[in-house]
Each structure stands twice: as structure tokens, then as C-alpha cells.
Amino acid sequence: QVQLVESGGGLVQAGGSLRLSCVASGITFGSYNMAWFRQAPGKEREFVGGISWSGRSTDYADSVKGRFTISRDNAKKSVSLQMNSLKPDDTGVYYCKAELRTSATYAYWGQGTQVTVSS
């Protein structure tokens, strides 16, 4: 059974930092590209950042470039999202996604963790 479990969300003031983590089980983690998405109330889920299966390649949404950093530890089957200089617009539920590098058919989501940034 595949499980992605996110943690690290919470309430933070604007300008603050949070670090989200996602731990995977039930998959060969090193074969999966990983990504973070978020969904604000009343809005569609949007891409935040992604990292390749090897960790050599990363990509970010324009809205978070320079503030967020994604990293992974294949030995620990985990991916992290370091979020700095947080803004109220960063508020939402953050989801971890795993996608098999050879086939997008095999994709899994975590249950999400709430991030709230107060002004």
C-alpha cells in the first residue's frame, strides 16, 4: 500500500518560515519524481515545486522562486519543502505528489498539511 505522509504545516506570521516533510512508503522512492502542490480555499490545486528522481533537477512556480527550496533524501524516502519569507498568499493545504519517472500513470498523493500565513 502506497502512503505519502506530510507534516510540518502550521500557523506562521508573514515573513516567517516553515519546513514541510513528506515520507513515502510502499514505493521504490528513488524511481519517483516528487512534487509539492497547494490548494487555497476556493481555488484549484496548483504546482509549487518539483524535484527529479535523482535530485539533480528542480523546478518551481514563479510565485515561490527564491523563497522555497525543495530537496529529497532517497535513503530516508523523504522530500522536503523549505519555505521562507512566507506571505499570506502562501496559505493553503500543501500536498506531496509522487510520480513514477517512466510513467505518469503511476502517481500518488498525500493527504495534505495545512499552512496558514497571517498578515
Side-chain angles (χ1 to χ4, degrees):
Q1 182 181 0
V2 178
Q3 279 194 312
L4 300 176
V5 180
E6 300 100 333
S7 62
L11 173 64
V12 64
Q13 288 189 330
S17 298
L18 281 175
R19 185 177 180 87
L20 305 183
S21 294
C22 170
V23 178
S25 60
I27 59 172
T28 303
F29 188 75
S31 296
Y32 283 76
N33 298 321
M34 301 297 296
W36 288 94
F37 286 72
R38 67 186 180 191
Q39 188 166 19
K43 295 186 177 181
E44 293 187 354
R45 193 172 297 188
E46 64 175 0
F47 172 80
V48 174
I51 187 165
S52 64
W53 60 275
S54 65
R56 288 195 288 266
S57 177
T58 58
D59 188 26
Y60 299 93
D62 287 343
S63 59
V64 307
K65 280 181 182 176
R67 299 188 299 121
F68 290 11
T69 303
I70 189 169
S71 60
R72 68 188 292 160
D73 185 333
N74 284 354
K76 295 182 179 180
K77 297 186 177 182
S78 67
V79 60
S80 297
L81 184 68
Q82 177 66 43
M83 305 186 295
N84 299 329
S85 302
L86 283 161
K87 306 174 182 179
D89 283 349
D90 295 319
T91 294
V93 179
Y94 282 68
Y95 297 91
C96 174
K97 179 185 179 183
E99 185 175 295
L100 187 63
R101 65 185 180 98
T102 56
S103 174
T105 300
Y106 298 94
Y108 306 97
W109 293 88
Q111 83 290 347
T113 185
Q114 176 71 45
V115 171
T116 303
V117 184
S118 63
S119 57

